[in-house]
Amino acid sequence: MWSDLRPIGRNAATGGYRRYAWTGADTDCRAWFRAQAESRGLTYELDRNGNQWAWLGDPAAGDAVVTGSHLDSVPDGGAYDGPLGVVSSFAALDELRARGARPARPLAIVNFGDEEGARFGLACVGSRLAAGQLTVEKAHELRDADGVSLPQAMERAGHDPDTIGPDPERLARIGAFVELHVEQGRALDVTNNPVGIASAIWPHGRWRFDFHGEANHAGTTRIEDRRDPMLTYANTVLAARKKARLAGALATFGKVGVEPNGVNAIPSLVRGWLDSRAADQDTLDLVIAEIEKAAVERGERDGVDVRITRESFTPVVEFEHALRDELGRILGGGIPVLGTGAGHDAGILSGTVPTAMLFVRNPTGVSHSPAETATEDDCLAGVTALADVLEGLACR
């Protein structure tokens, strides 16, 4: 499975992946998923929001045990973030069959669409739509950097955008959702454990900062006469780092747009996107408020108008304790339980269905980069752990 997936959407120059939602690479990944489902005799479904499902057992029976993740990527992302969960799900099902296990509940594998939000700027679009956390109206407003709307992109890829929206009947069939994911840090490497269980996802969000100044000539405009939004933006980036460090939180400006974007021109507009996360809501609120204050105050000094828009937000997710404890019981003592600052489809679904997560060790601790990795032995340990969990939950 890895060898089949490896070339899809991979950039030869960077070694990273560019599997953006509703593009050719995404279509190829979807074709791979369907082929894996059909080769195993599973019932394949594409839901109204473009999420893919592979069922063992009656999809309408209810109380299903579902696993899976996503196949899309961030710009020049690594091979494991998302795909490890999908590949491991098919491999775990193969393991169950090899054991002769007989599920008493329906089993399903899912590939949620547009989890990373790399194209339209909003993470977990497929699961948010299904859970009713993204309205149809807001979804229709999403646009990529070329001005292509989400409905247009869906239609070009052969999916009917008029069908998107909440899918409560489908989610009501799920009794438990367990997502396996490569760890996006080094906690398991430090403790020398191949597999861990998630406790919670930190609250996190994305904010767009628009810095409006005045375009002018770089070679003829005196420093004293400038209204340079790049200066305000740069100061805000530094302030974000400082405020987050002092609070024990995380704040990252990882995307920026500049107009008119000329070497010899003072910008008229700098637009930066802030990603911020913290262990609790109060800390996150404090950090964001301080970053916004620093941006506005610096803007006043620079003659720059600062406008701030919250584009997405996910509150703290405590995975259901009963299901989390059941995973611990199935896998035995000594399995570490750890929190994470990364968002996942499991976090979106947690408000609707019981959810849990397994992490597989990433020795580099690097994610959203080609340096992201996991050893074959650890990947196989993850498959075994997931198979044990599925057998424990569905084959009683």
Side-chain angles (χ1 to χ4, degrees), residues 30-382:
R30 290 170 174 274
W32 173 89
F33 182 94
R34 181 169 186 169
Q36 294 299 322
E38 293 178 345
S39 70
R40 290 169 172 80
L42 305 178
T43 301
Y44 172 79
E45 287 186 319
L46 182 69
D47 72 19
R48 61 189 303 174
N49 296 305
N51 304 311
Q52 295 179 288
W53 301 78
W55 289 89
L56 176 64
D58 182 3
D63 199 30
V65 177
V66 179
T67 186
S69 192
H70 63 94
L71 293 173
D72 65 311
S73 76
V74 299
D76 289 321
Y80 294 82
D81 180 354
L84 179 63
V86 179
V87 170
S88 296
S89 296
F90 283 115
L93 178 59
D94 294 343
E95 171 65 16
L96 286 183
R97 285 174 159 171
R99 294 177 185 180
R102 296 183 178 276
R105 302 163 65 179
L107 280 173
I109 298 169
V110 62
N111 167 36
F112 282 110
D114 200 4
E115 194 269 356
E116 295 291 6
R119 184 173 181 185
F120 298 101
L122 179 65
C124 301
V125 169
S127 56
R128 285 184 193 272
L129 281 168
Q133 295 184 24
L134 173 63
T135 66
V136 175
E137 293 73 22
K138 290 293 185 183
H140 279 215
E141 293 173 2
L142 295 175
R143 279 172 169 71
D144 66 11
D146 296 320
V148 178
S149 70
L150 174 61
Q152 289 172 328
M154 283 183 156
E155 192 167 27
R156 291 174 185 176
H159 187 76
D160 184 1
D162 292 335
T163 66
I164 66 173
D167 204 351
E169 292 183 359
R170 178 176 296 274
L171 297 188
R173 304 179 199 163
I174 303 175
F177 175 62
V178 181
E179 181 175 3
L180 181 145
H181 204 280
V182 68
E183 188 194 0
Q184 295 169 288
R186 288 192 58 239
L188 292 175
D189 190 56
V190 170
T191 60
N192 196 30
N193 291 101
V195 179
I197 298 173
S199 60
I201 297 176
W202 286 10
H204 57 278
R206 299 179 182 184
W207 289 260
R208 190 184 76 239
F209 284 64
D210 294 333
F211 302 90
H212 293 267
E214 181 180 60
N216 216 324
H217 196 296
T220 62
T221 310
R222 296 190 314 157
I223 293 293
E224 296 83 358
D225 295 336
R226 299 185 179 204
R227 295 175 52 217
D228 186 352
M230 186 65 78
L231 186 64
T232 314
Y233 167 72
N235 187 81
T236 303
V237 173
L238 296 175
R241 171 63 180 264
K242 180 179 179 180
K243 303 302 183 184
R245 178 175 54 81
L246 292 175
L250 300 170
T252 307
F253 276 96
K255 179 180 178 181
V256 61
V258 182
E259 297 177 9
N261 204 28
V263 175
N264 60 346
I266 299 166
S268 59
L269 170 66
V270 175
R271 177 171 287 137
W273 281 263
L274 170 70
D275 178 299
S276 190
R277 307 163 190 243
D280 61 82
Q281 188 66 56
D282 289 343
T283 301
L284 182 60
D285 290 343
L286 175 63
V287 169
I288 294 300
E290 291 186 344
I291 296 171
E292 291 180 350
K293 180 181 178 182
V296 171
E297 289 181 348
R298 182 69 196 205
E300 291 174 351
R301 290 175 53 188
D302 297 333
V304 171
D305 179 45
V306 180
R307 303 171 194 174
I308 303 164
T309 305
R310 189 178 80 177
E311 291 193 334
S312 69
F313 180 75
T314 303
V316 63
V317 173
E318 284 280 350
F319 290 114
E320 186 182 79
H321 290 193
L323 181 58
R324 187 181 70 195
D325 293 345
E326 180 68 3
L327 263 62
R329 184 195 66 77
I330 292 170
L331 297 177
I335 299 294
V337 179
L338 56 149
T340 177
H344 301 281
D345 292 308
I348 300 299
L349 296 187
S350 66
T352 308
V353 301
T355 60
M357 290 192 71
L358 295 173
F359 291 127
V360 171
R361 175 167 50 190
N362 174 358
T364 68
V366 175
S367 188
H368 286 185
S369 157
E372 171 186 281
T373 190
T375 68
E376 183 174 338
D377 285 346
D378 285 353
C379 289
L380 292 175

